[in-house]
Amino acid sequence: MKILVVGGGGREHALVWKISHSPKVKKIYCAPGNGGISELAECVDIAAANVTELVEFAKNHSIDLTVVAPEDPLAMGMADAMQKAGLRVFGPAKDAAAIESSKVFAKNLMKKYGIPTAEYRVFEEYNEAVEYVKKARYPIVIKAEGLALGKGVIIVKNADEANQALKAMMVDYAFGQAGQRVVVEEYLTGSEVTVMAFTDGKNFKPMVSAQDHKRVYDNDEGSNTGGMGAFSPSRVYTPGIAKQVEEIIIGPTIEAMAKEGRPFQGVLYFGLMLTEKGPKVLEYNARFGDPETQVVLPRLKTDIIDIFEAVTEKRLDQIDIQWEDNAAVCVVLASGGYPGEYSKGYKITGIESAVDDSGVIVFHSGTRQEDGEFYTNGGRVLGVTAVAGDLDSAIHKVYQGVDKIHFQHMHYRRDIGRK
Ligand code: AMP
Ligand code: GLY
């Protein structure tokens, strides 16, 4: 088979790596890919959001299956366009991807179908939102409706902060169109867990659980990032909670989407808060998570192409998906300054010796390859992942790998996996 993976970060490197293990696969393309991906796939210089050119590319290269990984092309209707052109695609249609691209749609869906989530109100008028937050009990959470690279969620402690957030979103358009409508919601406390599930629109198979570390510094200090690391499994997501989540959240969400005439095909990501009153949904994503995918896929035993085929042929119930009984930890190596301003173009050394340790894999997020050397080319540069029998061994091993890698102004967290 010829496979096209759309995207070019650590998540896509993990996907390409897993796909490359399938005996069914003869050739992998990745658009746009990155330095590390280019060792496993032919990188194609087309942007992930360029729907028209990628459909053309898939047609011209007789691609058997396209895997659309990032949210933007899904929200723009890339899966629909591929299907219309008679091409096989893994990933939801535009109206199903709305579960991520519109927080208002997602919240209203949960309310309509009784899926547990934080209490909320939706505002289109700035003045009404300002009136509402005068009387709120703090902290509360203010979310821009649309896609904002994980930055459109602001937790506020008082009315002043709430006003600032509302003004930024609804008056100054800090998140563009994404902030035209806002969701103001109850602040939930508990442990955050990520659970992703493969689904064909009717059947679903949950993956192993994971947790990510969003803040830039140790002990969850500093600003939010796209993710500084992740580990799998979660220590708090017990089999009992998993069963409950499948019954009251995963199953009902997939059924709700089908009833709404928006059957969801692909990976549905559940960002959960395990509260005192039970698990509740913080957010849905219409795709694999990043960096969670970098710790979940290394634990998958089953050929991922078999799963993708079962999903696209709507027979996911007929396949048995197997996971290793082990643990994985991923530490993100970032450019100093990220998520704010940073410089790039620094030479990276030590990747090969880090990988020599059995069980260490280095996924590239933002790198560029030139004359056989890798250079930094983004905020998040590498995801160093170690797989071992248990979490503590994986943590030990991952930092042994990290210690061997260097580039100027490299920054990473030293407490990944310890929560
Ligand atoms: P989201 O993009 O909606 O997942 O939000 C980003 C992060 O904000 C989440 O991973 C949580 O850490 C936090 N968050 C979102 N909603 C809430 C909430 N209702 N209560 C507490 N924290 C939240
Ligand atoms: N790790 C969160 C996300 O993929 O959006």
Side-chain angles (χ1 to χ4, degrees):
M1 288 173 82
K2 285 203 246 174
I3 312 287
L4 168 64
V5 174
V6 177
R11 162 185 56 204
E12 288 77 10
H13 193 181
L15 271 163
V16 166
W17 171 83
K18 189 70 200 170
I19 290 168
S20 73
H21 293 161
S22 171
K24 291 184 171 171
V25 172
K26 290 228 163 56
K27 170 96 189 172
I28 310 172
Y29 296 94
C30 188
N34 65 34
I37 291 173
S38 68
E39 298 192 318
L40 299 170
E42 184 176 328
C43 293
V44 181
D45 191 17
I46 304 175
N50 192 334
V51 176
T52 318
E53 279 193 36
L54 284 173
V55 171
E56 273 309 296
F57 179 89
K59 265 198 288 191
N60 294 341
H61 290 78
S62 314
I63 299 294
D64 298 295
L65 171 71
T66 299
V67 180
V68 185
E71 58 272 30
D72 289 341
L74 291 169
M76 291 164 71
M78 187 178 284
D80 313 61
M82 290 278 178
Q83 255 167 356
K84 214 166 147 201
L87 297 158
R88 184 196 289 236
V89 59
F90 180 87
K94 180 179 177 171
D95 61 0
I99 201 166
E100 172 172 6
S101 63
S102 168
K103 289 193 195 294
V104 174
F105 170 75
K107 294 298 289 191
N108 290 345
L109 184 87
M110 289 187 266
K111 187 173 186 183
K112 180 169 173 187
Y113 291 91
I115 296 162
T117 188
E119 294 293 334
Y120 72 103
R121 290 276 304 267
V122 177
F123 293 97
E124 288 181 34
E125 297 294 336
Y126 172 65
N127 292 336
E128 284 177 23
V130 168
E131 276 308 305
Y132 178 78
V133 300
K134 275 186 189 160
K135 289 169 235 141
R137 268 199 297 146
Y138 287 89
I140 53 171
V141 186
I142 300 184
K143 302 184 171 183
E145 158 166 42
L147 298 177
L149 291 171
K151 291 174 196 140
V153 174
I154 306 180
I155 296 168
V156 293
K157 292 191 284 298
N158 53 50
D160 273 353
E161 286 182 14
N163 287 338
Q164 270 178 33
L166 290 171
K167 182 165 176 293
M169 288 179 193
M170 301 183 88
V171 180
D172 302 336
Y173 291 115
F175 304 105
Q177 286 248 325
Q180 271 181 348
R181 287 202 286 181
V182 299
V183 173
V184 177
E185 73 177 33
E186 170 198 10
Y187 177 74
L188 298 176
T189 53
S191 299
E192 257 188 87
V193 179
T194 296
V195 181
M196 300 183 276
F198 294 105
T199 174
D200 60 9
K202 183 163 175 251
N203 310 288
F204 70 88
K205 294 275 160 95
M207 303 184 210
V208 288
S209 65
Q211 282 182 242
D212 71 350
H213 297 257
K214 289 200 168 78
R215 303 295 200 95
V216 66
Y217 299 124
D218 287 13
N219 304 315
D220 287 337
E221 286 175 21
S223 44
N224 261 332
T225 69
M228 292 300 293
F231 61 100
S232 171
S234 157
R235 293 184 178 85
V236 290
Y237 196 70
T238 59
I241 297 176
K243 185 162 175 283
Q244 189 189 13
V245 166
E246 286 170 39
E247 282 170 8
I248 67 173
I249 292 176
I250 303 181
T253 301
I254 289 161
E255 208 173 301
M257 290 298 280
K259 280 198 186 137
E260 293 293 307
R262 303 179 190 231
F264 190 101
Q265 181 257 67
V267 169
L268 193 48
Y269 170 119
F270 300 81
L272 304 174
M273 186 73 92
L274 307 184
T275 74
E276 273 181 358
K277 291 186 189 148
K280 296 189 180 186
V281 177
L282 287 176
E283 66 159 344
Y284 292 116
N285 290 328
R287 50 168 176 88
F288 283 101
D290 198 0
E292 290 95 330
T293 301
Q294 300 178 53
V295 288
V296 167
L297 290 188
R299 303 186 57 207
L300 175 62
K301 267 202 238 177
T302 308
D303 184 338
I304 199 165
I305 295 297
D306 288 346
I307 303 174
F308 289 158
E309 286 183 319
V311 165
T312 55
E313 289 163 17
K314 297 192 173 43
R315 50 171 182 79
L316 191 59
D317 52 331
Q318 290 164 28
I319 151 168
D320 179 33
I321 300 182
Q322 305 245 337
W323 299 90
E324 304 280 0
D325 182 18
N326 59 6
V329 177
C330 170
V331 176
V332 169
L333 307 184
S335 300
Y338 171 82
E341 278 182 36
Y342 56 84
S343 344
K344 50 194 192 184
Y346 299 117
K347 188 167 158 179
I348 308 168
T349 58
I351 295 178
E352 266 172 43
S353 53
V355 174
D356 279 348
D357 287 340
S358 64
V360 174
I361 318 162
V362 177
F363 294 122
H364 294 228
S365 303
T367 69
R368 181 171 57 79
Q369 199 181 26
E370 199 181 301
D371 300 330
E373 305 275 8
F374 291 112
Y375 295 86
T376 67
N377 196 35
R380 289 187 292 171
V381 177
L382 299 170
V384 182
T385 296
V387 181
D390 56 64
L391 276 174
D392 285 339
S393 317
I395 292 169
H396 182 71
K397 195 186 264 184
V398 81
Y399 283 104
Q400 281 184 331
V402 167
D403 281 344
K404 299 193 174 132
I405 300 177
H406 294 282
F407 55 84
Q408 214 177 323
H409 306 309
M410 176 170 112
H411 164 70
Y412 61 93
R413 280 182 60 164
R414 288 160 203 276
D415 63 346
I416 301 299
R418 307 219 176 270
K419 70 174 175 184

